Amino acid sequence: MSMDHFIDRRTFLASLGALTAGAPFAFRSGRPPFWPLGAAAGLPLRARAQAKGLLYGSSTLVRYLRDDKAFSARFAEECGILVPEWELKWEVIRPAPDRFDFTAPDFLAAYAAEHTMAFRGHPLVWHESLPPWFATTVNRSNAETILRKHIATVAGRYAGKVHSWDVVNEAIDLGGGRPDSLRASPWLDFLGPDYIRIAFEAAAQADPHALLCYNDYGIEFKWPKEQAKRAAVLELLRRLKSSNVPIQALGIQAHLRAGDPGFSVQELATFLRQVADLGLKILITELDADDRALPKDPATRDQAVAKTYESFVSVALAEPAVIAVLTWGLSDRYTYFNKMRPRTDGAPARPLPLDADLKPKPAYDALARAFDAAPARPGPSAQK
Ligand code: XIL
């Protein structure tokens, strides 16, 4: 069957968005693709998104869902798509050069299916979270074989169950000094810029159903560095599209800074439209709001985080090509900030929609308003 046929199906699925969260999987499981909508007043985020043909969800880890029943219940209630925060990375699923361990992602894929959620893969190719054996095993002569085998095995295992894959993550680095702004990485060193095409073609072959994304950060605000990075990302997307690389979407990580005055509605809207004009869908893939620059007072931080969410997400959802919003965690109970970017005053970070007690924060209400105000995407749910 021609690739065109699959791309058509992918486009169809992408434009359906949450209308059929986890469609291929939900249909196959025989469950209805629609999540039963809750009471009108307290509609969960996944239902508000679905009502507009969108997906809302979050990253998570196995232990959060397996060991914290209260959290698992809230995650299932609020999220229409799940992405493994860490457990599809090489350092987790590749314990040895000749071994794969899918225990963790299998649990997450099964959880998503059980709760009629779409499942997102992240990432197939990244310069970080590589296993210890990588540096002493992979070289110029075997890199392509190892890369192709990884993608064929991992994307092949979940073929038909994945809504979208971050095929290549964070390949642009302006500091690298290259005319194409590609980041120095083992993949670039061993295979040259062509590693990106190789990865997308291998992913398309392994799973013709998934939406194939390029994912990056630092492209959300109006500061010169972010303007330059947006231009470099756009150039990369144009090169890939003009070379007929099978890419269907851009992932914008949206690790935002709460209180940062550098947000420009016009610049973001223009960028999103430029990406959409390439025929690409757009996903907001890792939304959170860093509150380290703000005073300690929780209420002050919560208001600033909510304002940052609402200004960014409302502009994003005004672009019809945007099909999904995922936060990088659902609750402050499990944000990665406390581990990787702690506040100097030691106060727990407050970057996410739910607080550490799983209660909605102003950021949750901001997301709810943004989904409620978003233009409906074409498709069955919009005709409800
Ligand atoms: C981070 C996770 O949050 C951590 O738990 C993990 O240890 C390292 O990766 N951009 C990305 C994500 O694309 O995969 C990163 O997630 C955060 C930055």
Side-chain angles (χ1 to χ4, degrees), residues 66-289:
R66 183 191 58 213
D67 306 338
D68 186 338
K69 297 306 173 209
F71 176 78
S72 174
R74 287 299 270 120
F75 194 94
E77 183 182 6
E78 297 291 348
C79 296
I81 185 169
L82 179 161
V83 63
E85 179 163 327
W86 180 55
E87 289 153 319
L88 258 175
K89 290 171 180 169
W90 283 59
E91 64 184 350
V92 175
I93 60 175
R94 303 297 308 272
D98 58 348
R99 270 187 51 225
F100 291 80
D101 179 356
F102 291 109
T103 311
D106 282 358
F107 175 96
L108 295 171
Y111 180 96
E114 184 189 346
H115 295 93
T116 321
M117 290 172 189
F119 183 59
R120 131 157 275 270
H122 168 85
L124 288 172
V125 182
W126 194 27
H127 60 285
E128 294 191 20
S129 295
L130 294 170
W133 58 261
F134 189 94
T136 52
T137 307
V138 185
N139 54 51
R140 201 175 307 278
S141 61
N142 65 15
E144 180 168 349
T145 303
I146 289 172
L147 178 58
R148 286 183 182 279
K149 179 164 169 58
H150 181 82
I151 295 174
T153 308
V154 179
R157 183 182 186 83
Y158 301 106
K161 300 177 185 175
V162 169
H163 169 272
S164 50
W165 267 109
D166 286 334
V167 176
V168 173
N169 193 33
E170 304 182 357
I172 295 290
D173 171 21
L174 298 177
R178 287 175 55 98
D180 57 13
S181 302
L182 289 182
R183 176 189 300 277
S185 77
W187 302 113
L188 183 69
D189 293 348
F190 295 142
L191 297 173
D194 212 30
Y195 84 90
I196 298 175
R197 176 190 61 76
I198 291 167
F200 275 93
E201 289 181 353
Q205 193 169 8
D207 185 354
H209 307 282
L211 213 60
L212 304 182
C213 309
Y214 171 73
N215 192 48
D216 216 329
Y217 69 94
I219 51 179
E220 299 86 5
F221 285 92
K222 71 180 181 185
W223 305 117
K225 262 179 65 177
E226 301 212 11
Q227 290 172 334
K229 189 165 182 178
R230 272 199 294 280
V233 167
L234 209 48
E235 267 317 296
L236 171 64
L237 297 176
R238 284 180 177 138
R239 284 201 303 275
L240 296 176
K241 288 295 286 181
S242 62
S243 316
N244 297 316
V245 168
I247 176 173
Q248 289 90 38
L250 169 67
I252 300 177
Q253 291 185 13
H255 289 296
L256 308 177
R257 293 174 299 278
D260 185 327
F263 177 69
S264 160
V265 171
Q266 191 49 51
E267 290 202 17
L268 178 63
T270 301
F271 174 63
L272 297 176
R273 188 50 9 215
Q274 289 170 319
V275 173
D277 286 345
L278 293 174
L280 298 175
K281 296 297 182 188
I282 301 163
L283 295 85
I284 308 303
T285 53
E286 306 182 13
L287 174 65
D288 51 27

